[in-house]
Amino acid sequence: MRHIYVDDYRACPAGFLLARNAEEAILLIANMEVDILSLDFDLGYDQPTGLAIVHFMTEHSVYPQEVYLHTSSEAGRMQMYRLLSQHAPSHVELHYGPMPDEVRERVARQASGS
């Protein structure tokens, strides 16, 4: 399983695949099993937001095991969380905020093989 970090600006944590926009994220989500997905809302001026990614997941019933919402947009976080909480299967762990350091560190250790 893979981990995906969606953000147009922030650095990608170790062990994650980076998607800089909604189109890249949707291609990855559509073509691989995803364990952890960390979503930003604002993905560049006049570009589709993280909500477009959430719409794709709900319309195609494609979900990661865990979703974190690391966006600084409170309104965007609320929209993504609301849609996911209404449609995601019960096994999907939905977090109303960014990944804790322990999660980032665990993924980085797994990626480095230690």
Side-chain angles (χ1 to χ4, degrees):
M1 287 224 196
R2 297 292 185 107
H3 311 298
I4 300 172
Y5 190 80
V6 183
D7 201 296
D8 63 319
Y9 178 74
R10 293 176 187 90
C12 183
F16 284 78
L17 295 173
L18 176 63
R20 287 286 186 204
N21 58 49
E23 183 180 5
E24 288 178 4
I26 289 168
L27 280 171
L28 291 171
I29 293 165
N31 290 294
M32 66 177 57
E33 286 188 45
V34 179
D35 186 21
I36 298 173
L37 174 66
S38 188
L39 282 173
D40 189 13
F41 180 76
D42 294 308
L43 297 173
Y45 177 74
D46 208 24
Q47 295 297 310
T49 65
L51 191 58
I53 300 164
V54 172
H55 277 292
F56 172 83
M57 291 190 304
T58 61
E59 290 166 9
H60 294 88
S61 295
V62 178
Y63 297 96
Q65 298 299 309
E66 258 185 286
V67 179
Y68 289 91
L69 304 173
H70 69 260
T71 183
S72 56
S73 168
E74 191 58 39
R77 180 188 336 264
M78 191 176 300
Q79 290 176 60
M80 293 188 297
Y81 186 87
R82 187 175 300 135
L83 190 58
L84 283 166
S85 65
Q86 290 170 353
H87 296 280
S90 59
H91 74 271
V92 175
E93 290 183 49
L94 181 56
H95 305 275
Y96 193 81
M99 287 180 284
D101 290 340
E102 306 83 62
V103 173
R104 279 195 301 279
E105 291 164 5
R106 176 176 43 87
V107 170
R109 279 194 309 273
Q110 289 171 345
S112 70
S114 25

